[in-house]
Amino acid sequence: MTLSRIQRSNTACFPKTIFLLLTVVIIPINGWADTIDFNRDIRPILSDRCFHCHGPSEDDREANLRLDQPEGEEGALRSVDDSTVIAPGDPNASQLWHRITSTDPDERMPPADSNKKPLSAEQQELFKQWILEGAKFDNFWSFVSIKPVSLPDVDDAWASGMIDSHVLAELEREGIRPKPRADQRTLIRRVTFDLTGLPPTPAEIDQFLADKSPDAYADLVERLLNRKSYGEHMARYWADLVRLADTNGMHKDFFRNFSTYRSWLIRAFNDNLSFDDFIRYQLAGDLYETPSEDQLIASGFNRLHMIIDKGTALPEESHHKNVLDRVEAFGTAFLGLTIQCSQCHDHKYDPISQKEFYQLYAFFNNFDGAPETDRAPKGGIQTPAIELASSPDEPRPDGTLAMVMKERSTPKPTHILVGGAYDVPGERVERKTPAALPSMKPKDGIYTRMDLAEWLIDPAHPLTARVAVNRFWQQFFGTGLVKTSEDFGAQGEWPSHPELLDQLAFRFSDSNWDVKELVRSIVLSNTYQQSSDASPEEYRNDPDNRRLSRGSRYRMDAEMIRDQILLLSGKLNTTMYGPSVKPPQPPGLWKAVSMAAPLTYVADKGDAIYRRSIYTYWRRAMPPPQMTILNAPSREFCTPRRERTNTPLQALLMMNETEFFSAAKACAQVSIEPGKGDDDQRLTSLYEKITSHLPDPDRLVLLQATLNDFRNVYANNPQLTQSLTTEFVDLDDKQRIELAAWTMITHSLMNLELAKVKR
């Protein structure tokens, strides 16, 4: 017998609600468990088809029936007028069963006007089996406190630790064997990219290959964790999540300077700031008794929201939008919930009422300052701000300022806003957290953002550690254990390995929130080190590698691709910190979205344009086109995960973009310097430099033939050769032909799948 597991992802982000297509996965029930699991098998279907009318939202509830809870006057197990909604053990006595199987359009649920599909035969069978087994309800899995999980019993030398044991236990249940360890060259390339965002150099590859000690890989990991580039790479993911950018993001989209927050972020990861302090500093760094400079800078997290220009909206409306943005960032970054869906009404899927939304809103409603509507303040800094001192590792010009958060001395009253309208206040509310989650510790007086931070990192809190661990896992495998890393609510997906997620979360908080220790445990696991090679059938059966039966394989993010090309060219500027830079871009960039003459794109000069992509100037109305074509977000909204598409524009970018082509030319120049050997040696060296691998004999023959073809093309077309090498005034014709041919072979190698895909 086969049953369905329905998975639906809702990436709601007010005011846009994006409903992803429903995916049906047919899985043998014995491959998962001996009995039906309510959270895994039943709740996702109820959430998708039923909760809109029979869920947490009181305003939308029909027939006084809740299908998200069993007991109570509206609970699913109640009986009314001799009719029982769900009769445990007896489908025929259950109205739910009759309604989902009825062929009468007036009886069938969900109703035709709901635009929801009727349940399939497999889904109906799933409900029947659940009712027969007693119709057991469970508290929603992500709202249940995390407890330590015992290791599964696996008798296999492959499982070297906790991660491997949980993964292998699931694979054994499905009769699947994990893949062997990736070869050494693939492994060093994979882990170097994953920990630094850059490829290994040939010298680093040689060092790793020459180290025959059993700790060679572990030693490599430690070297990478201690590099400054580690912090730059880790900060990039957080920048997406908290919408770090260089402009306001609305109307005229003026400059706003958050370079000091970015610098703090990089240092926090490099210094391995514990994640609990990472949360405290950002949510409430300004509320320490004597806050340090770092704590104040980090509190700028609360200022990263978009703002409306002065004169575009009334001050109270601007203030309201700023606070909404802060609340959404809090809910997405730390809770992994779409709490913003409750600003106009009770959440339709998760147990968060409109009142509870505004109780959270009250924590962020006390900003000491006028609504942030300055047109274009000097240096992009809006008050309140602090002046920073210079430090040995981060020299700063005198008078460098950082925007910070600051509380009013007298708390601003907060009201439920009727229908979400800023000018229609209703009941006054005080600061409080949702009742479905653990309560805040009792306190005399008003709760503060520091209390909110402490609530998040309380060991009893079910979401904070799970959400954080899942996002780190997503960085290394391409997909989180919970695929919908943006939504741990009822519209999100069930974890692929729930016990592994909980064990990782428990250990993370128990380790004093040690980020590097978590990262280390992931990349040292045999699960991570597997080969990504698989048959077409294996890829079809598990395209996202949800079973973790192999190493993950996916296209690298935009920043990794660009930074790699700059490194290969020898031009990468590794200077850290400081203001954002504008690399060369196509003429007229910003013209279509600029409403003021000063807002024209002027590229920086010198080697600043070759800095890592984390430092690239990010205008929200027009982000760097190289990044957006490769799926980088605009950073107008919190983005916990990027989508990966495959479009012709991406190929055109990689093959024609001026910066990328110039990098190929610079890399080719190095390859043909005197003393580099004959063609075979140069081609072998170039191939290794770009892919971290050595070409096999057949590929080397193909590369030589291709190089000769390019030589012939340019020898027979002097005008084309001249146009490709115009900047080199001292080269003779023969040298120009050689440079042009090697530029094209380098360019071709940079466009190989091996150069763009993490595997």
Side-chain angles (χ1 to χ4, degrees):
M1 176 176 65
T2 60
L3 299 173
S4 295
R5 183 159 65 96
I6 306 303
Q7 301 172 319
R8 181 167 181 169
S9 142
N10 175 12
T11 54
C13 198
F14 189 85
K16 303 171 184 175
T17 303
I18 306 168
F19 291 98
L20 301 183
L21 292 176
L22 193 65
T23 320
V24 180
V25 183
I26 308 299
I27 298 174
I29 190 65
N30 290 335
W32 289 97
D34 295 328
T35 59
I36 303 297
D37 185 291
F38 175 74
N39 271 321
R40 183 192 66 217
D41 304 314
I42 302 298
R43 188 190 289 270
I45 304 175
L46 290 174
S47 179
D48 176 62
R49 310 296 175 86
C50 309
F51 280 4
H52 187 276
C53 298
H54 302 294
S57 177
E58 184 175 344
D59 294 338
D60 297 292
R61 195 170 302 136
E62 300 284 346
N64 296 321
L65 172 63
R66 292 188 65 166
L67 291 176
D68 62 320
Q69 63 182 32
E71 308 297 341
E73 293 183 359
E74 298 180 311
L77 300 183
R78 66 181 173 85
S79 296
V80 177
D81 298 329
D82 298 323
S83 177
T84 303
V85 180
I86 300 175
D90 190 352
N92 290 327
S94 302
Q95 278 295 310
L96 176 68
W97 171 249
H98 290 295
R99 289 299 190 98
I100 66 175
T101 58
S102 175
T103 58
D104 183 343
D106 292 331
E107 291 285 323
R108 187 179 61 206
M109 290 291 171
D113 61 4
S114 70
N115 295 318
K116 300 284 187 181
K117 291 182 180 179
L119 271 64
S120 67
E122 291 85 0
Q123 293 164 355
Q124 293 172 9
E125 187 65 24
L126 192 64
F127 271 81
K128 181 179 181 180
Q129 185 67 21
W130 173 62
I131 294 172
L132 285 170
E133 291 176 2
K136 180 184 177 183
F137 280 75
D138 293 313
N139 292 330
F140 188 57
W141 70 270
S142 71
F143 288 5
V144 176
S145 293
I146 303 166
K147 295 180 175 59
V149 179
S150 59
L151 284 182
D153 185 16
V154 290
D155 185 19
D156 196 296
W158 183 84
S160 65
M162 179 270 290
I163 292 175
D164 298 334
S165 295
H166 283 289
V167 170
L168 186 59
E170 292 295 327
L171 293 179
E172 286 181 344
R173 276 193 277 272
E174 299 193 44
I176 299 174
R177 288 294 304 164
K179 293 295 180 184
R181 190 173 189 258
D183 66 85
Q184 295 290 80
R185 287 179 175 273
T186 296
L187 203 54
I188 186 175
R189 182 175 179 83
R190 178 189 299 172
V191 75
T192 305
F193 262 120
D194 275 345
L195 294 183
T196 70
L198 297 168
T201 65
E204 290 163 354
I205 295 172
D206 289 344
Q207 178 187 1
F208 179 55
L209 296 178
D211 189 345
K212 304 302 181 184
S213 74
D215 297 326
Y217 177 68
D219 292 342
L220 168 66
V221 168
E222 290 308 309
R223 291 196 296 272
L224 295 172
L225 287 172
N226 288 316
R227 286 188 185 172
K228 296 294 187 183
S229 51
Y230 164 82
E232 292 174 314
H233 182 57
M234 296 291 283
R236 180 177 66 77
Y237 295 98
W238 193 257
D240 274 2
L241 184 62
V242 300
R243 70 256 190 266
L244 176 61
D246 293 284
T247 62
N248 291 339
M250 287 185 175
H251 202 218
K252 295 180 180 178
D253 201 23
F254 286 120
F255 173 49
R256 196 155 45 130
N257 189 344
F258 276 108
S259 60
T260 51
Y261 173 85
R262 177 179 56 210
S263 296
W264 169 80
L265 197 57
I266 293 167
R267 284 188 282 106
F269 280 111
N270 275 332
D271 296 343
N272 200 28
L273 179 69
S274 63
F275 200 75
D276 56 343
D277 279 340
F278 188 72
I279 290 173
R280 288 188 188 99
Y281 287 15
Q282 292 183 87
L283 270 181
D286 56 306
L287 298 182
Y288 281 87
E289 186 173 340
T290 308
S292 68
E293 190 175 85
D294 273 356
Q295 289 163 345
L296 288 169
I297 293 171
S299 75
F301 161 82
N302 296 287
R303 308 277 304 278
L304 289 168
H305 51 77
M306 296 194 293
I307 67 172
I308 306 173
D309 295 337
K310 190 173 184 178
T312 307
L314 293 173
E316 192 58 31
E317 180 183 7
S318 294
H319 170 80
H320 170 60
K321 287 184 178 293
N322 294 348
V323 180
L324 281 182
D325 211 340
R326 290 181 195 128
V327 179
E328 179 181 341
F330 166 79
T332 303
F334 302 117
L335 298 177
L337 295 176
T338 57
I339 61 175
Q340 65 273 16
C341 294
S342 301
Q343 62 180 286
C344 303
H345 49 70
D346 292 350
H347 203 294
K348 295 185 184 300
Y349 303 100
D350 297 330
I352 304 171
S353 68
Q354 186 187 23
K355 179 177 182 178
E356 289 172 328
F357 175 85
Y358 285 100
Q359 288 173 328
L360 286 172
Y361 181 105
F363 283 98
F364 301 95
N365 191 32
N366 204 42
F367 178 64
D368 186 10
E372 298 189 59
T373 58
D374 291 348
R375 288 185 177 273
K378 184 177 180 181
I381 298 292
Q382 294 156 322
T383 57
I386 60 167
E387 185 170 341
L388 305 178
S390 186
S391 63
D393 65 332
E394 189 180 349
R396 303 185 185 109
D398 291 339
T400 299
L401 300 175
M403 286 188 282
V404 300
M405 188 66 171
K406 186 180 180 183
E407 288 279 279
R408 290 164 43 133
S409 56
T410 303
K412 181 181 176 69
T414 299
H415 298 262
I416 296 175
L417 300 180
V418 179
Y422 77 93
D423 55 353
V424 188
E427 175 190 352
R428 180 170 175 173
V429 296
E430 302 300 332
R431 299 173 182 183
K432 195 176 179 182
T433 52
L437 294 168
S439 300
M440 300 184 78
K441 292 180 179 177
K443 175 184 177 178
D444 293 331
I446 190 170
Y447 287 109
T448 68
R449 281 181 284 112
M450 184 63 79
D451 297 311
L452 190 63
E454 295 295 341
W455 172 74
L456 282 175
I457 59 177
D458 189 294
H461 201 291
L463 285 169
T464 314
R466 280 189 179 117
V467 168
V469 160
N470 189 64
R471 293 210 186 105
F472 286 120
W473 186 275
Q474 177 181 267
Q475 288 180 213
F476 297 100
F477 288 90
T479 304
L481 293 168
V482 177
K483 185 176 181 179
T484 53
S485 55
E486 71 282 357
D487 191 356
F488 271 55
Q491 289 290 93
E493 279 201 11
W494 170 259
S496 61
H497 298 73
E499 291 187 343
L500 172 57
L501 176 63
D502 280 7
Q503 188 68 7
L504 283 169
F506 180 81
R507 288 194 178 185
F508 184 42
S509 59
D510 198 49
S511 72
N512 293 320
W513 304 86
D514 189 325
V515 174
K516 284 192 176 181
E517 181 54 37
L518 171 64
V519 169
R520 186 182 292 111
S521 69
I522 292 173
V523 300
L524 289 179
S525 69
N526 286 326
T527 300
Y528 173 82
Q529 296 179 59
Q530 291 178 95
S531 169
S532 63
D533 293 339
S535 68
E537 182 181 6
E538 288 173 315
Y539 276 107
R540 282 194 297 271
N541 290 339
D542 188 10
D544 292 327
N545 194 25
R546 306 295 286 126
R547 295 184 178 95
L548 300 172
S549 61
R550 61 179 185 267
S552 295
R553 188 184 191 113
Y554 51 88
R555 195 203 66 228
M556 292 184 288
D557 288 341
E559 293 89 341
M560 297 167 76
I561 290 175
R562 177 179 179 268
D563 292 352
Q564 172 190 206
I565 289 174
L566 291 178
L567 179 68
L568 296 175
S569 73
K571 293 184 175 182
L572 181 66
N573 179 351
T574 58
T575 302
M576 297 183 69
Y577 312 125
S580 298
V581 295
K582 300 187 185 78
Q585 296 289 7
L589 191 73
W590 294 6
K591 185 176 182 181
V593 295
S594 291
M595 301 178 67
L599 285 180
T600 54
Y601 190 91
V602 179
D604 286 308
K605 304 293 185 182
D607 65 355
I609 65 175
Y610 302 119
R611 295 190 69 194
R612 291 197 68 174
S613 301
I614 184 70
Y615 302 107
T616 297
Y617 190 97
W618 208 278
R619 187 179 180 193
R620 283 167 163 156
M622 179 63 76
Q626 299 96 329
M627 304 296 165
T628 52
I629 289 172
L630 290 169
N631 301 124
S634 67
R635 294 193 179 153
E636 295 173 281
F637 306 102
C638 303
T639 307
R641 60 170 172 148
R642 295 185 182 184
E643 297 297 330
R644 285 189 176 86
T645 61
N646 190 9
T647 70
L649 272 179
Q650 293 162 358
L652 288 170
L653 171 75
M654 292 293 295
M655 298 189 73
N656 294 290
E657 207 278 329
T658 302
E659 185 180 36
F660 292 177
F661 200 87
S662 297
K665 191 183 301 184
C667 186
Q669 282 181 270
V670 176
S671 297
I672 60 176
E673 288 176 351
K676 297 291 185 179
D678 59 18
D679 279 355
D680 277 3
Q681 291 170 313
R682 288 175 172 177
L683 286 169
T684 298
S685 177
L686 180 62
Y687 188 90
E688 180 186 30
K689 183 178 181 180
I690 293 173
T691 71
S692 304
H693 290 265
L694 296 176
D696 59 39
D698 290 342
R699 182 158 294 191
L700 190 57
V701 169
L702 178 61
L703 287 172
Q704 182 65 69
T706 305
L707 177 63
N708 290 335
D709 287 344
F710 282 133
R711 283 170 170 156
N712 290 332
V713 167
Y714 290 105
N716 293 318
N717 196 329
Q719 186 175 357
L720 182 61
T721 306
Q722 177 65 32
S723 67
L724 187 63
T725 59
T726 301
E727 65 270 36
F728 301 99
V729 295
D730 296 329
L731 298 185
D732 58 32
D733 290 345
K734 184 177 180 181
Q735 290 171 323
R736 289 182 186 278
I737 292 168
E738 195 69 1
L739 176 58
W742 278 93
T743 295
M744 293 309 299
I745 198 73
T746 303
H747 181 256
S748 300
L749 290 176
M750 286 180 173
N751 279 276
L752 287 178
E753 180 190 3
L754 278 172
K756 298 180 290 185
V757 172
K758 178 180 167 288
R759 54 189 290 272

